[in-house]
Amino acid sequence: MKIKEFQHQPVKPDTYEASMALNQLMRIGKHAIKLHNMIDDAAEMESWVAKKIDLAGDYVKKVYNYTEGEKAGLYDDGGMTEDAGEGHMSKSTLYHTAKYAIALMDMIKPGDDLEGWVQSKLNKAADYLQGVYNYEEYQKLNPYREELDSNIIQKHAGIVQKHI
């Protein structure tokens, strides 16, 4: 019986981590852009909506800074006063979040070995933005019912049903 000689085969890089990160970055960028276009600068927002946008932006910024290796500011108000609406603040965060997500998609290559916390931050950011997007989209289609008469409720119910 002849024992075959061991032949070392090069190890192919594990693309799972990088592929997951790229998928999450695609979700983050898509929802950040859609939300940015959906929110009015002067809009009053639910506090949890603004908080999730801020957290998502912060998570993506941390990953970007880590990946880029240098510090970058998330929000430059361009001289805006504190009187700017919540919508303006969130839109600025969404703009920079989408910008960082696009830049990270260029930085992360299939096969890159990513830290566990990097994937965690991207997952949370994507989930937060998707949740906020779903909420905002629903609010646009179906405004607060107590403020509507029955004819308008029927009209909006038809619109919601059409989009489902």
Side-chain angles (χ1 to χ4, degrees):
M1 179 166 158
K2 202 173 187 181
I3 298 176
K4 292 184 179 181
E5 187 176 321
F6 175 75
Q7 292 182 357
H8 175 65
Q9 299 291 328
V11 177
K12 294 182 180 179
D14 179 14
T15 61
Y16 178 74
E17 289 176 346
S19 295
M20 288 297 295
L22 291 169
N23 183 34
Q24 296 298 43
L25 288 165
M26 183 66 77
R27 285 178 57 205
I28 291 166
K30 178 178 91 171
H31 287 103
I33 291 167
K34 284 182 177 182
L35 281 165
H36 179 273
N37 293 335
M38 188 182 287
I39 295 173
D40 181 28
D41 279 349
E44 290 291 323
M45 304 179 78
E46 299 283 339
S47 62
W48 70 267
V49 169
K51 181 68 173 175
K52 289 205 181 227
I53 290 171
D54 289 344
L55 285 171
D58 187 49
Y59 291 158
V60 175
K61 176 186 170 194
K62 284 179 180 169
V63 171
Y64 176 83
N65 288 342
Y66 172 76
T67 305
E68 181 69 15
E70 62 186 44
K71 301 292 181 199
L74 180 59
Y75 179 70
D76 175 14
D77 70 358
M80 294 296 295
T81 65
E82 289 184 20
D83 292 331
E86 292 168 341
H88 173 76
M89 296 289 287
S90 291
K91 284 183 76 160
S92 177
T93 300
L94 290 164
Y95 168 80
H96 285 91
T97 300
K99 180 178 155 185
Y100 290 144
I102 292 166
L104 281 164
M105 289 182 72
D106 289 336
M107 290 180 206
I108 297 173
K109 303 295 181 215
D112 284 356
D113 187 24
L114 304 175
E115 303 273 343
W117 69 266
V118 168
Q119 190 63 47
S120 175
K121 297 288 187 197
L122 294 178
N123 286 338
K124 286 180 182 179
D127 288 345
Y128 287 165
L129 289 177
Q130 184 169 2
V132 169
Y133 175 76
N134 292 342
Y135 172 79
E136 289 293 331
E137 181 182 47
Y138 180 77
Q139 290 298 1
K140 295 284 186 204
L141 293 174
N142 196 19
Y144 296 109
R145 292 176 182 253
E146 61 270 8
E147 298 172 4
L148 303 175
D149 65 30
S150 62
N151 291 336
I152 296 175
I153 289 175
Q154 289 298 77
K155 178 182 172 187
H156 284 285
I159 293 170
V160 170
Q161 196 64 26
K162 183 175 122 181
H163 285 86
I164 294 178

